[in-house]
């Protein structure tokens, strides 16, 4: 059969003919050293309790968190983000700055037993208050300024335990500046701040709240987390956090906010992190368990899109799986 050929100067398909060719012209690459693995640290010993809505993610006692950090390191992931699940909760979230609480203990243990691990800590009160809100309540509303003082105390206690980076996720006004000042006064001017600068009030945090037991007892987080409809506001939030001393800025969640990541990266040219959150992870896991998607491909496509949007740091529960896939 005779072939008829169009006279085409440009044939984009030429560059898609083989895997070697596609790899040669690939614009976006992932590497395990851009991943940060979140860990949920609880009290006790030998505890490794899987979270129902997050298959493959566990509540871990300090000894188990050390094992997980070591396993992550072996997979090529050297950064972890610690969340605490204290048994004691009160109305001011005092376990957030207790030097013997799970996070502070885990920082010391991981630093001692898994050298070379970069330890990031989440700074917020929601896991530590009995009412589940991110701050102190006065007349039923979150009081910004007294909360900031508590957050600075928490961040300082993380630094004292050996944290490399503190990551305030509370969205109170002025917290980055207050934390920077507290760290500097405490002699921790080398501890960096990764601020959850543009953190949206998202339905995709649902599974996290199961994992951390941090669902608010009443109301919601709309008075401090951002309205999903806004993007100019994200640029203002990021500008403020940079002014106050943030070293790394974060957009969260990731997938529904790729445009925000791209704009923030463009506007500021700053180290930018994106948090691929619990609900985004849970959706992929659920679809994969039903046989509805090819999980390894969907995982890599998702993480690639976050990188392509402009984030060079990706916080994801898939960190270890993705690192192994890249090996
Ligand atoms: C604490 C915090 C939350 C997440 C990270 N830090 C929950 C929230 O704001 O309700 C969510 C992370 C995830 O969903 O994976 N404030």
């Amino acid at each position: 059969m005779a072939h008829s050929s169009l006279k085409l100067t440009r044939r984009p398909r030429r560059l898609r003919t083989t895997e070697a060719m596609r790899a040669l012209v690939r614009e976006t690459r992932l590497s395990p050293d851009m991943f940060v693995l979140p860990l949920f640290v609880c009290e006790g010993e030998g505890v490794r309790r899987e979270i129902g809505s997050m298959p493959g993610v566990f509540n871990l006692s300090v000894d188990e968190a050390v094992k997980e950090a070591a396993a992550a390191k072996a997979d090529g992931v050297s950064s972890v983000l610690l969340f605490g699940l204290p048994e004691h909760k009160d109305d001011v979230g005092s376990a957030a700055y207790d030097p013997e609480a799970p996070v502070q203990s885990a920082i010391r243990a991981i630093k001692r037993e898994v050298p070379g691990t970069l330890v990031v800590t989440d700074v917020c009160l929601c896991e530590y208050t009995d009412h589940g809100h991110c701050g102190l309540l006065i007349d039923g509303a979150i009081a910004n300024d007294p909360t900031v003082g508590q957050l600075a105390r928490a961040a300082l206690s993380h630094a004292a335990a050996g944290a490399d980076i503190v990551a305030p996720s509370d969205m109170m006004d002025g917290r980055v500046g207050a934390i920077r000042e507290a760290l500097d006064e405490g002699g921790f001017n080398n501890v960096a701040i990764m601020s959850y600068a543009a953190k949206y009030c998202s339905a995709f945090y649902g599974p996290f709240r199961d994992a951390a037991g941090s669902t608010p007892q009443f109301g919601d987080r709309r008075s401090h987390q951002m309205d999903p409809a806004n993007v100019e506001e994200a640029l203002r939030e990021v500008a403020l956090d940079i002014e106050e001393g943030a070293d790394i800025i974060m957009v969260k969640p990731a997938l529904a906010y790729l445009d925000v990541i791209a704009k923030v990266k463009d506007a500021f040219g700053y180290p930018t992190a994106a948090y691929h959150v619990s609900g985004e992870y849970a959706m992929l896991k659920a679809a994969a368990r039903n046989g509805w998607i090819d999980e390894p491909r969907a995982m890599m496509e998702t993480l690639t899109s976050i990188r392509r949007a402009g984030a060079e740091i990706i916080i994801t529960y898939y960190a270890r799986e993705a690192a192994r896939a890249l090996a």
Side-chain angles (χ1 to χ4, degrees), residues 4-14:
S4 70
S5 283
L6 296 173
K7 279 203 160 182
L8 289 182
T9 318
R10 299 287 172 213
R11 287 185 183 271
R13 291 185 57 195
R14 278 182 202 121

Side-chain angles (χ1 to χ4, degrees), residues 193-211:
I193 299 175
M194 173 162 75
S195 77
Y196 290 68
K199 176 173 176 179
Y200 287 88
C201 190
S202 171
F204 293 106
Y205 306 149
F208 172 95
R209 292 179 192 170
D210 286 346

Side-chain angles (χ1 to χ4, degrees), residues 58-264:
F58 301 83
N59 288 348
L60 304 165
S61 51
V62 170
D63 55 320
E64 290 291 325
V66 167
K67 286 186 203 158
E68 188 70 18
K73 192 138 196 302
D75 288 336
V77 177
S78 303
S79 302
V80 295
L81 169 60
L82 304 183
F83 292 93
L85 290 88
E87 262 156 30
H88 168 78
K89 300 194 185 205
D90 57 31
D91 61 343
V92 296
S94 61
Y97 43 82
D98 175 353
E100 301 309 320
V103 164
Q104 288 81 353
S105 307
I107 299 167
R108 290 189 297 267
I110 292 171
K111 278 294 183 184
R112 186 175 63 237
E113 292 174 43
V114 197
T117 300
L118 184 92
V119 177
V120 189
T121 59
D122 186 84
V123 177
C124 191
L125 296 186
C126 67
E127 300 128 64
Y128 304 96
T129 50
D130 47 15
H131 44 68
H133 279 291
C134 304
L136 305 185
L137 297 180
I138 298 180
D139 298 331
I142 299 174
N144 192 87
D145 301 8
T147 298
V148 166
Q150 291 292 84
L151 295 165
R153 268 178 97 172
L156 189 58
S157 79
H158 296 169
D164 299 287
I165 301 179
V166 295
S169 68
D170 52 281
M171 288 296 279
M172 295 300 118
D173 295 332
R175 91 279 204 213
V176 172
I179 288 172
R180 186 68 271 159
E181 199 180 313
L183 292 176
D184 290 352
E185 278 173 10
F188 300 107
N189 51 17
N190 270 336
V191 171
I193 299 175
M194 173 162 75
S195 77
Y196 290 68
K199 176 173 176 179
Y200 287 88
C201 190
S202 171
F204 293 106
Y205 306 149
F208 172 95
R209 292 179 192 170
D210 286 346
S214 63
T215 307
Q217 301 289 303
F218 62 90
D220 52 41
R221 306 217 197 285
R222 284 174 222 245
S223 81
H224 52 293
Q225 298 181 350
M226 284 178 50
D227 185 329
N230 296 355
V231 65
E232 286 180 352
E233 188 188 7
L235 300 180
R236 291 196 295 273
E237 280 283 5
V238 169
L240 277 174
D241 284 7
I242 290 175
E243 227 171 84
E244 289 179 32
D247 302 284
I248 300 169
I249 45 167
M250 192 201 299
V251 174
K252 173 185 175 198
L255 216 43
Y257 300 87
L258 293 176
D259 59 323
V260 181
I261 297 171
K263 288 201 166 125
V264 162

